[in-house]
Amino acid sequence: MATQQQTFHDKLHALARNYWWCWQPDVVAVFRDLAPVRWRELDHNPVLLLDEFTPESLEHRGREAVLHSRVNYAYRRWQEYMTSQHTWGDTHTGLLGHNPVAYFSAEFGIHESLPNYSGGLGVLAGDHLKSASDLGVPLVAVGLFYQEGYFVQQIDETGWQHEVYPFVQNKRLAIKPAKLPSGETVVVQVETRNGPIHAQVWQADVGRIKLFLLDCNVEQNTPEDRKLTARLYGGDQRIRIRQELVLGIGGARALTAMGYQPSAIHMNEGHSAFAVLEFIRARMVEDNLPFDEAMQKTVWHCCFTTHTPVPAGHDRFDWGLFDEHLGPIADQLGIGAGGLVALGRVEPNNASESFCMTVLAFKCSRTANAVSNLHGVVSRRMWTGLWPWRSEEEVPIGHITNGVHVASWLAPQMKLLYDRVLPLEWNLRSGEPAVWADFENVTPGELWETHQALKNRMILFARNRMLRRAERLGLPASETTDIHNCLDPEALTIGFARRFAPYKRADLVLRDIELLGQIVADSKRPVQFVFAGKSHPADNNGKAILQRIFKLTQEPGFKGKIVLLEDYDINVARHLVQGVDVWLNNPRRPLEASGTSGQKVVLNGGLNCSILDGWWAEAFDGRNGFTIGNGRNHTDQDVQDDRDAKSLMRVLHEEVIPLFFDRDDDDGLPQAWIARMKRSVRTLGWRFNADRMVMDYVEKAYIPAAGGLSSDMGRLP
Ligand SMILES: *Cc1c(COP(=O)(O)O)cnc(C)c1O
């Protein structure tokens, strides 16, 4: 990596092949400035962008746009980052030794150009890797490579969602074949009762972190199995168990083949729980141990994070599928499929209970955690059956509240403000409250102008998205004119974007259409809504909710004031969380385990208006946002929905709207609103960021798992 010999061309190509670039505003800006229009059209994929240049044309363009010193600087910073020995990890993860944590997840949301995620779980995993990299925590990650991603969402003229599956060409992504120490590419094999499944392994570099993605599209597989990992969460239960077999057992084998001996194994959600079985098997062989002993020794190193407070949301497999796929390893473990199935049951001997991945993960981990304080309470209640001799409070499931990766979600313009008022190198200490306290010193006018600029940017982005759809559908010119005039930069702008799972109740605000109509019709105090979100391809209820919202956006009185953006992804999310005034979150309590999108909004000065669920239940202090409802649940879903809808309208009408339009006579600024923005950043930024989260995982899960210390999250018997 000698800097001297590297040309402009080499440096740009090297930067494009480590996802570190995507959380460096200056490097993003270099790629953008190379070819601004193509940059947008190519989904911000620098590998694709650079492909469009010859070495000569790149050199020429570099001179023309005066990019050489910016690239030299970025490249040097990157080299320093990659080799730094003064990280938090260097002083806090000594107990892990040279053996990294192995982090397993079915999805990873790193950047929009790598469509390997469906929603919050994946983005959380991506943020985890980025913070682990920034902090210098030794960690390797394992997932699957989905050649067709989740899906691209298209909304037709009637508002119905259609799924499009673009085939992602591997060579157009920043991934490369993973290599064995011998230099050969990694191919793993997993047995089933009906023959083996093969997978090759791709490597994506995420700063200092290596992310390994298993891909079943290899010659050795049957035509059917070549498509096994094509789509994330696509297909039936059979595809699901085969994917999870490849992720867990295949992933563990890949790590071993590459020479990794993980000090801790972290299962992010239960999808990857089969990994533990492979580690147990390997230990039985290596140390010549019986199953029980090998299991005890392996489980000692395992940590599990549960994300799902909905009983139906946990993967379960019937006996036929289970035996076909787990039979071979169960035989190797010496307990047979009949013995192994008991590890996935709350009541081991209950033959009518199907095999549950979450149960397996709980039984095979030393520490287990939920993802918010409230989710911890819910999870302990939900899983008391696993520890019938313990009281609910003593169920050994702790919690580590989710957080977001600051550098990925903070707008560059807002970062300039941070850089000015927060202590030097605040980004290296973003888990400390004292570091964020200085945000109080931002001048109100400056904060407001910065926010306003981001809001304008978001509005332009939204119009562009809508124009793209209008063009695809060939909508009439009048429609295009309407789009150019939609969304008012002066209006109170409320955002709602996330997966359209029914429990998230995207249509809650539509429950009283008449009142909603009055709210958006008030010309003195204009209010507007921006919606976005994908529904799972098989979820027709979710699609119906989407369609309902779409139809409203077409009605006179609502048109241009309520808009729906197509194809929610990390890019859309970034624009929305950076540009809205208010972020609306109204899940059916207590079904939102944590939620993270509102945390992204916090960083950029937007205010949360949320049900007291997930992270918000421990975040709201009365003056750092707005709360819907009183934190109580009702057994009748309809009653709860009605009550929450009324409360939501009341909060908008009596608190949010008046505060936003309460302007100072002298400078025209909403002083009380700005005070709330500051309080939100100051009280929430340090807690709900991924650096703090990863530091918690290191201290409460990884170090105990690696070094045998006890954890205050509670140990499984
Ligand atoms: C942050 C994020 C999410 C998670 O949103 P929630 O409101 O927590 O469900 C989902 N999708 C994308 C693309 C995100 O960036």
Side-chain angles (χ1 to χ4, degrees):
M1 289 210 215
T3 315
Q4 261 47 8
Q5 290 90 332
Q6 303 270 351
T7 63
F8 179 69
H9 171 274
D10 295 340
K11 286 179 184 170
L12 271 172
H13 276 264
L15 285 167
R17 279 169 176 78
N18 185 318
Y19 284 96
W20 177 80
W21 69 264
C22 77
W23 69 95
Q24 314 301 320
D26 60 325
V27 192
V28 174
V30 165
F31 289 130
R32 186 199 57 215
D33 292 346
L34 264 177
V37 176
R38 290 304 284 156
W39 176 240
R40 200 174 66 211
E41 289 169 353
L42 295 172
D43 239 355
H44 306 151
N45 181 341
V47 173
L48 279 186
L49 185 82
L50 293 176
D51 257 5
E52 302 198 336
F53 289 90
T54 62
E56 295 74 36
S57 68
L58 190 63
E59 180 65 30
H60 176 76
R61 177 63 192 152
R63 300 217 171 279
E64 185 179 55
V66 205
L67 296 174
H68 281 73
S69 62
R70 284 164 70 189
V71 168
N72 287 338
Y73 176 67
Y75 189 82
R76 185 173 297 277
R77 273 210 311 117
W78 177 48
Q79 296 293 297
E80 277 166 17
Y81 177 91
M82 295 299 285
T83 53
S84 169
Q85 311 250 310
H86 304 285
T87 63
W88 181 86
D90 285 314
T91 47
H92 290 79
T93 62
L95 262 169
L96 304 184
H98 294 293
N99 297 321
V101 175
Y103 181 90
F104 285 80
S105 178
E107 43 175 313
F108 287 93
I110 312 283
H111 184 256
E112 57 266 28
S113 61
L114 186 60
N116 231 49
Y117 61 95
S118 77
L121 180 71
V123 174
L124 178 83
D127 282 4
H128 195 103
L129 302 194
K130 292 170 182 175
S131 275
S133 173
D134 289 346
L135 291 168
V137 174
L139 184 144
V140 289
V142 180
L144 295 177
F145 179 70
Y146 306 103
Q147 200 139 28
E148 299 178 11
Y150 186 47
F151 64 88
V152 169
Q153 178 193 52
Q154 293 189 346
I155 298 173
D156 70 16
E157 285 97 327
T158 73
W160 195 252
Q161 167 182 301
H162 298 267
E163 298 88 30
V164 179
Y165 293 91
F167 188 81
V168 182
Q169 296 219 327
N170 313 354
K171 70 173 187 331
R172 316 188 88 188
L173 292 173
I175 57 172
K176 60 191 176 194
K179 294 282 168 68
L180 297 173
S182 66
E184 285 172 276
T185 58
V186 187
V187 178
V188 294
Q189 180 179 326
V190 184
E191 309 78 29
T192 74
R193 292 240 193 258
N194 293 313
I197 308 172
H198 305 265
Q200 63 174 320
V201 185
W202 298 98
Q203 177 181 330
D205 293 328
V206 183
R208 286 185 264 246
I209 305 295
K210 292 186 174 77
L211 164 60
F212 298 111
L213 300 170
L214 282 81
D215 178 4
C216 289
N217 189 9
V218 292
E219 275 174 14
Q220 298 93 315
N221 279 334
T222 62
E224 197 188 5
D225 279 339
R226 290 192 72 157
K227 287 190 251 161
L228 187 56
T229 51
R231 296 176 183 181
L232 169 59
Y233 305 144
D236 53 13
Q237 286 298 93
R238 187 182 161 77
I239 298 222
R240 185 72 162 233
I241 196 170
R242 289 170 90 79
Q243 285 190 342
E244 293 182 355
L245 198 69
V246 172
L247 171 63
I249 295 179
R253 286 188 183 160
L255 287 182
T256 305
M258 289 184 282
Y260 291 107
Q261 291 183 308
S263 52
I265 295 150
H266 185 178
M267 293 167 268
N268 185 45
E269 188 57 302
H271 306 122
S272 57
F274 293 144
V276 183
L277 304 179
E278 169 59 16
F279 285 115
I280 297 172
R281 189 200 62 77
R283 191 168 270 253
M284 286 172 69
V285 175
E286 260 165 49
D287 298 350
N288 199 18
L289 292 176
F291 171 76
D292 286 348
E293 217 173 306
M295 169 160 171
Q296 201 181 21
K297 292 204 153 123
T298 305
V299 164
W300 197 243
H301 296 285
C302 297
C303 331
F304 170 49
T305 302
T306 178
H307 290 265
T308 317
V310 196
H314 298 265
D315 274 328
R316 288 183 176 277
F317 300 113
D318 63 28
W319 171 256
L321 281 179
F322 179 79
D323 180 58
E324 180 188 348
H325 294 98
L326 277 302
I329 194 155
D331 292 344
Q332 287 174 305
L333 293 172
I335 56 173
L340 186 56
V341 76
L343 280 177
R345 287 183 182 146
V346 176
E347 296 171 51
N349 300 320
N350 180 355
S352 66
E353 195 182 323
S354 57
F355 180 89
C356 175
M357 294 300 279
T358 313
V359 174
L360 176 70
F362 274 123
K363 290 191 179 181
C364 289
S365 52
R366 174 197 169 97
T367 60
N369 70 282
V371 291
S372 71
N373 182 54
L374 178 60
H375 181 223
V377 174
V378 171
S379 298
R380 288 189 285 278
R381 185 174 313 148
M382 212 170 135
W383 296 106
T384 41
L386 279 173
W387 296 274
W389 59 92
R390 292 192 179 207
S391 68
E392 197 176 296
E393 304 81 71
E394 288 172 339
V395 167
I397 304 175
H399 80 272
I400 293 176
T401 304
N402 286 344
V404 297
H405 184 244
V406 175
S408 293
W409 296 105
L410 179 64
Q413 295 91 323
M414 198 57 85
K415 180 174 179 293
L416 294 179
L417 271 190
Y418 278 49
D419 287 342
R420 200 124 44 80
V421 298
L422 302 193
L424 226 73
E425 305 207 304
W426 62 268
N427 51 317
L428 300 181
R429 302 192 287 134
S430 62
E432 298 173 24
V435 169
W436 294 73
D438 289 350
F439 198 76
E440 203 53 40
N441 301 334
V442 179
T443 47
E446 213 170 358
L447 178 56
W448 189 248
E449 292 309 331
T450 305
H451 168 67
Q452 204 60 30
L454 288 167
K455 184 167 161 183
N456 289 341
R457 216 175 140 254
M458 185 273 283
I459 289 174
L460 287 178
F461 173 84
R463 288 178 189 161
N464 267 327
R465 278 264 153 163
M466 286 186 274
L467 287 170
R468 207 175 70 180
R469 172 175 174 275
E471 198 173 310
R472 189 187 73 241
L473 294 173
L475 299 182
S478 61
E479 193 69 27
T480 315
T481 312
D482 285 350
I483 292 172
H484 276 298
N485 292 315
C486 81
L487 296 175
D488 168 8
E490 298 307 320
L492 167 64
T493 305
I494 301 174
F496 182 104
R498 43 183 61 81
R499 290 180 304 113
F500 266 46
Y503 80 86
K504 293 186 183 254
R505 299 188 297 190
D507 56 349
L508 194 70
V509 74
L510 274 59
R511 248 178 128 88
D512 189 340
I513 292 278
E514 206 174 311
L515 192 52
L516 182 64
Q518 287 168 20
I519 286 179
V520 302
D522 188 339
S523 59
K524 284 212 194 67
R525 303 194 301 182
V527 177
Q528 60 196 7
F529 290 82
V530 183
F531 285 92
K534 292 176 176 176
S535 169
H536 185 277
D539 179 10
N540 283 334
N541 292 331
K543 290 189 194 180
I545 293 174
L546 194 81
Q547 186 172 42
R548 214 175 139 227
I549 293 171
F550 175 83
K551 291 207 157 135
L552 192 69
T553 67
Q554 302 301 299
E555 277 183 29
F558 293 97
K559 198 161 186 183
K561 292 173 177 162
I562 297 185
V563 303
L564 174 63
L565 306 187
E566 222 175 39
D567 201 30
Y568 185 52
D569 68 353
I570 287 178
N571 185 30
V572 178
R574 196 187 301 111
H575 281 90
L576 292 183
V577 300
Q578 293 175 356
V580 296
D581 298 306
V582 170
W583 193 248
L584 182 61
N585 177 44
N586 45 230
R588 199 171 284 135
R589 191 177 189 272
L591 299 186
E592 190 62 89
S594 166
T596 51
S597 57
Q599 302 171 349
K600 304 166 190 167
V601 172
V602 163
L603 300 173
N604 293 290
L607 294 181
N608 280 272
C609 178
S610 171
I611 295 271
L612 278 173
D613 197 9
W615 76 284
W616 191 241
E618 67 200 76
F620 181 61
D621 72 356
R623 285 187 293 152
N624 55 6
F626 305 94
T627 276
I628 305 160
N630 53 11
R632 289 219 305 271
N633 313 332
H634 198 283
T635 43
D636 185 329
Q637 191 169 297
D638 218 38
V639 174
Q640 189 173 341
D641 289 358
D642 241 356
R643 232 162 40 183
D644 289 344
K646 286 205 173 70
S647 170
L648 163 59
M649 286 318 211
R650 193 198 59 73
V651 172
L652 288 182
H653 205 258
E654 294 176 13
E655 297 180 37
V656 181
I657 299 174
L659 196 71
F660 185 82
F661 288 104
D662 177 11
R663 301 299 163 108
D664 191 294
D665 288 338
D666 293 332
D667 56 20
L669 293 175
Q671 293 289 358
W673 185 275
I674 294 169
R676 216 173 264 232
M677 289 166 75
K678 285 190 185 180
R679 188 178 178 87
S680 165
V681 175
R682 188 161 59 74
T683 60
L684 304 173
W686 67 272
R687 278 171 73 194
F688 300 101
N689 75 68
D691 281 11
R692 190 276 309 149
M693 171 180 76
V694 170
M695 292 193 280
D696 277 355
Y697 274 104
V698 167
E699 280 162 12
K700 295 183 181 177
Y702 301 161
I703 298 254
L709 300 176
S710 67
S711 163
D712 60 8
M713 279 203 311
R715 203 192 71 193
L716 303 194

